[in-house]
Amino acid sequence: MRKPLISGNWKMNHNHFEAIQTVQKLAYLVGKDELEAADVSIHPPFTDIRSVQTVIDSDKLGYALGAQHCHYEEKGAFTGEVSPVFLQKLGVQYVICGHSERREIFGETDEIVNKKVAAIQAHGMTPIFCCGETLEEREAGDTETKVLGQIRAGLEGRTPEQVAALVIAYEPIWAIGTGRTATSDDAQQVCAAVRACVAEGWGNDAAQAVRIQYGGSVKGSNIAELIAMPDIDGALVGGASLDADEFARICKLGV
Ligand code: PGA
């Protein structure tokens, strides 16, 4: 049984004061016992991680700490980068990698993403591996070619056990931050193809265990329908995770 994972990707929003307030408000709205239906991870900017960790630890909140990105090397001359070792020391459990904004704006290639997945797992954390197609690719009928190609390249070299332990986030790029959500049937179709691709490459056990999130304009009003789909095991939430009330509804799976 795959427990759903709801992940709030704050992107470059909320300074550390706003981060503390948001997490405290969220904790008030969604108590620990209401977190039973789903695991929840929060991915603030790097400068907020320590503050959010302190709130989660001191109030014993049931949220997992997440990061949005990291470098694949442990240390060295990489100005501006953050090591997976540092994130692990802070108690980070989930690290997003291969987000379409990192791929498109910062030029992250499949090779770089592949190294990051390995580094994140080598340091005992769980990668949230993102994949997704542009509108042009969808309209040209190339959705699966693009998405499954990213998965094969990004996860090449991983063992079945390693793939079983990670999270794959399917995020159609045209649905991110646009208010346009893939219909639950469309999202299910691609997520089923993702699972079939994992079965083909890493075996059926890995395919049954891997958690597949949908991302792209997820809200309190559409989470229930998405999560009801057999191959959708959670959501990667951007804009709607910034607001504690809206994110609380999503954490409660729209109930
Ligand atoms: P969105 O972002 O929910 O604002 O569409 C999702 C994401 O980019 O992870």
Side-chain angles (χ1 to χ4, degrees):
M1 185 55 199
R2 298 179 298 264
K3 191 172 180 190
L5 173 68
I6 304 294
S7 303
N9 173 15
W10 288 359
K11 310 191 179 185
M12 200 169 75
N13 296 290
H14 286 341
N15 62 42
H16 69 289
F17 294 115
E18 294 162 332
I20 292 169
Q21 280 171 1
T22 306
V23 175
Q24 283 173 335
K25 186 167 179 201
L26 186 64
Y28 171 75
L29 293 166
V30 194
K32 223 178 180 168
D33 9 319
E34 285 166 302
L35 278 173
E36 262 159 30
D39 292 333
V40 176
S41 62
I42 298 172
H43 301 250
F46 285 133
T47 48
D48 304 359
I49 289 184
R50 177 74 173 132
S51 309
V52 172
Q53 181 219 23
T54 307
V55 178
I56 289 177
D57 283 1
S58 61
D59 297 344
K60 301 203 172 29
L61 306 180
Y63 306 109
L65 192 58
Q68 300 175 16
H69 160 67
C70 73
H71 195 54
Y72 50 81
E73 294 288 353
E74 292 186 7
K75 61 177 180 172
F78 303 101
T79 301
E81 286 294 327
V82 172
S83 160
V85 178
F86 306 161
L87 296 179
Q88 186 194 26
K89 270 262 180 283
L90 281 166
V92 166
Q93 293 179 44
Y94 295 94
V95 185
I96 298 170
C97 56
H99 192 282
S100 58
E101 286 152 19
R102 301 267 353 149
R103 292 179 191 260
E104 289 192 340
I105 307 171
F106 302 102
E108 280 187 14
T109 60
D110 286 333
E111 291 69 34
I112 294 175
V113 178
N114 183 294
K115 288 185 188 175
K116 286 189 184 188
V117 172
I120 294 162
Q121 289 197 311
H123 293 92
M125 299 177 290
T126 301
I128 298 181
F129 173 89
C130 302
C131 51
E133 82 286 4
T134 62
L135 190 56
E136 296 73 58
E137 288 161 342
R138 167 161 288 248
E139 283 171 352
D142 290 337
T143 298
E144 290 187 14
T145 311
K146 169 75 177 296
V147 171
L148 307 187
Q150 286 179 322
I151 290 175
R152 290 187 189 108
L155 303 183
E156 193 192 336
R158 300 281 84 204
T159 65
E161 291 71 27
Q162 287 166 332
V163 172
L166 56 78
V167 178
I168 297 175
Y170 165 58
E171 298 204 301
I173 297 170
W174 48 271
I176 296 178
T178 56
R180 288 181 63 184
T181 321
T183 64
S184 45
D185 287 338
D186 279 351
Q188 160 60 23
Q189 195 182 335
V190 182
C191 291
V194 167
R195 203 176 299 284
C197 172
V198 170
E200 193 185 291
W202 293 272
N204 204 37
D205 288 351
Q208 288 312 312
V210 70
R211 290 197 279 188
I212 304 174
Q213 294 178 318
Y214 167 79
S217 299
V218 173
K219 301 184 270 296
S221 56
N222 59 22
I223 183 68
E225 198 188 323
L226 288 161
I227 201 84
M229 294 290 140
D231 288 298
I232 300 180
D233 311 314
L236 182 54
V237 187
S241 71
L242 296 172
D243 178 67
D245 288 296
E246 186 67 19
F247 194 53
R249 276 186 74 195
I250 299 173
C251 294
K252 292 195 242 180
L253 306 181
V255 183

